[in-house]
Amino acid sequence: MSALNALPAQFLIGFCIAVLLPAYVRYGDFGTALTAAGFTNSFIGAAIALALGMIMLRRVTAFPGTRTFGFILPSFIGSFGLVLAALFALRLEYSRIYLASAFLSSIAVFFLLSIYLLPRTRRRFYVVPGFDLQGLTLPAEIEWIRLRSPVVPEDPSAIIAADFRQDHGPQWDRMLAEAAVRGRTVLHSKQVLESLTGRVSIEHLAENNFGSLMPNLAWRKTKRAVDLLSSLILLPLLCPLFLLIGAWIRLDSPGPAFFRQMRVGGGGQPFQIIKFRTMHEQQSTGEADMVAAVTLVADDRITRAGRWLRRTRIDELPQIFNIIAGQMSWIGPRPEAISLSQWYDTEIPFYLYRHIVRPGITGWAQVNQGHVTDLDAIHRKLQYDFYYIRNFSVWIDVLIAIKTAKIAFTGFGAK
């Protein structure tokens, strides 16, 4: 693997090109720069923004289904945005031109680095017999090599995948132990599939080690504070939009502007969710039957206004009131209708574990799968939900937020 893939090397390149070079171009020499108003604050801010952007980019692209190209711009918008907000809040002088140059240079550097590193960072998985790849949709950027004999691969970047539930025999077991001792990465096939698909298999409770899946308690408390603070800031800005959309819904079809339905929330407790109404009122009354709770493809119950609201996910925004009430979060597994939740609970004995975190307006399943209707898709949705709980952290929430913003423009998965 190229040495340029290391974080310190990338920071050094980024610092020279995106922090030092714009300063030289802007001021000519550093003696002049140090006397310029706001330069020191801007210089330190640019270095911090570069480091934050790199960390964010590295963390969010560690999850399945992400490509570095698609997250360079959001990562550096976020990092430079945070630095600018801090400078503004502390009322410190800064150079807009210099920070803008550092921002654009950071993006250019990491786009070029990604182009250079893409063909040099292809991962190779060496597969031990017993790990069945049949029927799997495998990523094209990953090379799969089947091992024919119990010999440790000479490739120093080799990732060895083996199904630890299989009896491989003493020679293969010895090879796996030797590979680990020699510094090769040895992974359970189940872990490999989870890292590539973004789903956790849910065939057996013991198999998933749910005892070790208690979500990060520190992030759960911080997440609640972030949810509440951001909701209180956004609510006054959203109220005029809510009035306009509410009036449009009332003009488009008879019935109220809002739709309310009982859902299952954190801890398995029921609560009333609030959304913009997107279906004809006489058919959108929150019936208890399971069929009515499922929205079908091209469902004729959806109104004209409702189709646009669903495509952009704007119909979900009134749930900001549920967030303020502590019933929901911006990000988490989607809350299910009580009838559907009861049905899932009878089919999957440990389905209740899904409620260990607050439900969200958007979630890992929504950005990877979209709306679901059939049983197989529902099963995959639960696998995504359990993956989110296992990887519960600020970084997967940042990734979901970025993907949700993209989806709002594309309408992915809407029904």
Side-chain angles (χ1 to χ4, degrees):
M1 186 176 293
S2 173
L4 289 180
N5 198 47
L7 202 60
Q10 291 186 4
F11 178 78
L12 181 60
I13 294 171
F15 184 78
C16 291
I17 298 176
V19 179
L20 293 178
L21 184 60
Y24 179 78
V25 172
R26 175 82 173 98
Y27 299 101
D29 63 82
F30 286 97
T32 304
L34 290 173
T35 62
F39 171 76
T40 302
N41 297 330
S42 303
F43 185 83
I44 295 172
I48 293 173
L50 173 67
L52 284 177
M54 288 177 58
I55 293 170
M56 187 181 302
L57 181 63
R58 183 66 64 99
R59 291 300 186 97
V60 298
T61 54
F63 292 102
T66 58
R67 299 289 185 275
T68 302
F69 287 110
F71 293 92
I72 292 173
L73 185 59
S75 295
F76 285 105
I77 286 176
S79 66
F80 276 85
L82 287 172
V83 166
L84 280 172
L87 291 171
F88 182 78
L90 296 172
R91 299 189 177 185
L92 299 174
E93 279 192 288
Y94 61 90
S95 169
R96 293 183 179 85
I97 295 176
Y98 171 70
L99 282 176
S101 301
F103 168 68
L104 294 174
S105 299
S106 298
I107 293 172
V109 166
F110 281 88
F111 267 117
L112 292 174
L113 276 174
S114 298
I115 293 171
Y116 174 78
L117 290 172
L118 186 62
R120 294 168 173 79
T121 54
R122 189 179 189 191
R123 289 186 292 172
R124 292 188 182 90
F125 283 90
Y126 292 80
V127 181
V128 172
F131 179 10
D132 186 13
L133 298 175
Q134 298 298 322
L136 296 176
T137 302
L138 304 175
E141 68 274 12
I142 293 176
E143 185 177 355
W144 298 87
I145 302 170
R146 293 184 180 274
L147 292 173
R148 304 298 180 186
S149 59
V151 178
V152 178
E154 293 300 325
D155 182 357
S157 62
I159 302 174
I160 301 173
D163 188 345
F164 293 159
R165 296 165 295 190
Q166 298 282 340
D167 182 6
H168 298 103
Q171 290 183 320
W172 285 102
D173 287 339
R174 188 176 296 109
M175 185 277 288
L176 292 173
E178 181 186 350
V181 170
R182 289 173 57 181
R184 306 294 189 268
T185 302
V186 182
L187 300 176
H188 184 7
S189 58
K190 180 173 174 291
Q191 184 182 356
V192 171
L193 293 179
E194 288 176 10
S195 69
L196 296 177
T197 64
R199 305 195 305 265
V200 170
S201 59
I202 53 176
E203 284 78 14
H204 304 287
L205 182 61
E207 188 175 294
N208 290 315
N209 300 314
F210 276 7
S212 65
L213 278 185
M214 177 60 69
N216 185 324
L217 296 179
W219 172 236
R220 186 158 62 177
K221 293 178 181 178
T222 305
K223 181 181 171 74
R224 173 58 190 153
V226 172
D227 285 337
L228 183 58
L229 180 61
S230 59
S231 297
L232 293 175
I233 293 173
L234 287 173
L235 185 59
L237 304 176
L238 290 175
C239 282
L241 177 65
F242 286 175
L243 290 173
L244 290 174
I245 294 176
W248 180 29
I249 293 171
R250 294 293 301 272
L251 291 172
D252 183 61
S253 62
F258 294 103
F259 167 75
R260 294 174 174 84
Q261 186 184 55
M262 294 303 296
R263 300 282 179 97
V264 180
Q269 298 300 311
F271 73 99
Q272 189 178 70
I273 199 172
I274 180 170
K275 303 170 60 175
F276 282 120
R277 180 176 59 83
T278 59
M279 292 186 176
H280 292 287
E281 197 272 333
Q282 67 270 22
Q283 293 176 294
S284 180
T285 55
E287 301 99 322
D289 64 283
M290 189 170 62
V291 174
V294 176
T295 305
L296 305 176
V297 177
D299 200 314
D300 58 9
R301 296 175 295 173
I302 301 175
T303 63
R304 289 173 298 179
R307 295 199 182 280
W308 183 81
L309 292 172
R310 282 174 173 265
R311 187 184 68 81
T312 58
R313 304 302 200 276
I314 289 177
D315 64 314
E316 309 285 0
L317 283 181
Q319 288 158 55
I320 190 172
F321 296 108
N322 294 116
I323 294 175
I324 293 172
Q327 300 160 335
M328 291 183 65
S329 171
W330 286 109
I331 297 170
R334 283 295 296 158
E336 297 288 2
I338 291 179
S339 56
L340 287 175
S341 185
Q342 290 173 342
W343 175 54
Y344 297 155
D345 199 31
T346 60
E347 296 294 320
I348 301 174
F350 44 93
Y351 173 79
L352 181 64
Y353 184 79
R354 181 181 185 269
H355 304 310
I356 198 169
V357 296
R358 284 188 179 90
I361 291 180
T362 184
W364 185 241
Q366 284 63 48
V367 299
N368 283 284
Q369 186 182 23
H371 188 86
V372 300
T373 54
D374 61 88
L375 292 177
D376 288 340
I378 289 169
H379 189 78
R380 288 195 300 275
K381 175 185 175 184
L382 294 179
Q383 292 177 333
Y384 282 120
D385 289 338
F386 286 131
Y387 181 89
Y388 173 77
I389 294 170
R390 168 173 285 183
N391 295 277
F392 187 71
S393 66
V394 61
W395 300 113
I396 195 168
D397 280 359
V398 168
L399 174 59
I400 292 170
I402 293 172
K403 285 195 168 191
T404 300
K406 294 180 180 180
I407 286 170
F409 290 99
T410 64
F412 167 77
K415 296 289 183 290

